[in-house]
Amino acid sequence: MNKSTDQGNRKRILTIIKLVPTGRVATYGQIAHLAGLPNNARQVGSILKSFSGPNIPWFRIVNSKGEISQRRNESSQSMQRDILEGEGVRFTESNRVDLSQYLWKPC
DNA sequence: AAGGTGACTTTTC
DNA sequence: TGAAAAGCCACCT
């Protein structure tokens, strides 16, 4: 495996994220799995942290509990929730989304 | 080069 | 049910 492979993984992950439709969410692990990196959920978060480009619906990625992951700078967290609610995603009283309802199921 | 870190997940109690 | 621990792996010091 060479250097270009790693960058290819990054590109693959971003490509998958772009496929998540409006009003739906996906988990870090799910994205990693679809990108062919089954045990690299953490890397998905790592990439989203460093790369915030256009056309990347980063806000549709939540953790396995259906909640918005905690981060150093919490400014983007409230923004993430606002955007999702704007797309019709409802949050429970425990600040989680119902994955059985909103989780993206690729066909 | 070796050890710490983190926008995670799964298992264990 | 839920908190805590263990597992994981690319990145950064």
Side-chain angles (χ1 to χ4, degrees):
Chain A
M1 291 312 203
N2 51 36
K3 201 175 299 180
S4 60
T5 303
D6 295 337
Q7 299 187 335
N9 289 342
R10 180 184 58 95
K11 189 172 184 179
R12 222 168 287 128
I13 288 173
L14 292 175
T15 300
I16 302 288
I17 293 178
K18 283 188 201 166
L19 299 180
V20 183
T22 303
R24 290 300 192 78
V25 300
T27 68
Y28 296 90
Q30 179 183 18
I31 297 297
H33 189 75
L34 290 172
L37 308 165
N39 292 22
N40 286 42
R42 302 194 83 139
Q43 176 127 25
V44 174
S46 179
I47 288 170
L48 287 184
K49 178 177 65 174
S50 57
F51 180 87
S52 59
N55 304 333
I56 306 294
W58 54 271
F59 46 84
R60 296 205 258 258
I61 312 302
V62 298
N63 67 26
S64 62
K65 301 180 207 160
E67 62 189 11
I68 293 172
S69 290
Q70 187 80 26
R71 59 206 69 168
R72 301 310 209 81
N73 193 1
E74 70 178 70
S75 62
S76 63
Q77 289 180 74
S78 55
M79 183 192 329
Q80 176 169 5
R81 175 165 178 162
D82 287 344
I83 298 174
L84 286 177
E85 287 181 325
E87 292 186 340
V89 177
R90 305 278 228 82
F91 282 74
T92 68
E93 59 275 355
S94 52
N95 298 321
R96 298 195 298 219
V97 305
D98 183 357
L99 288 180
S100 68
Q101 183 179 359
Y102 295 109
L103 184 66
W104 171 50
K105 289 144 192 151
C107 307

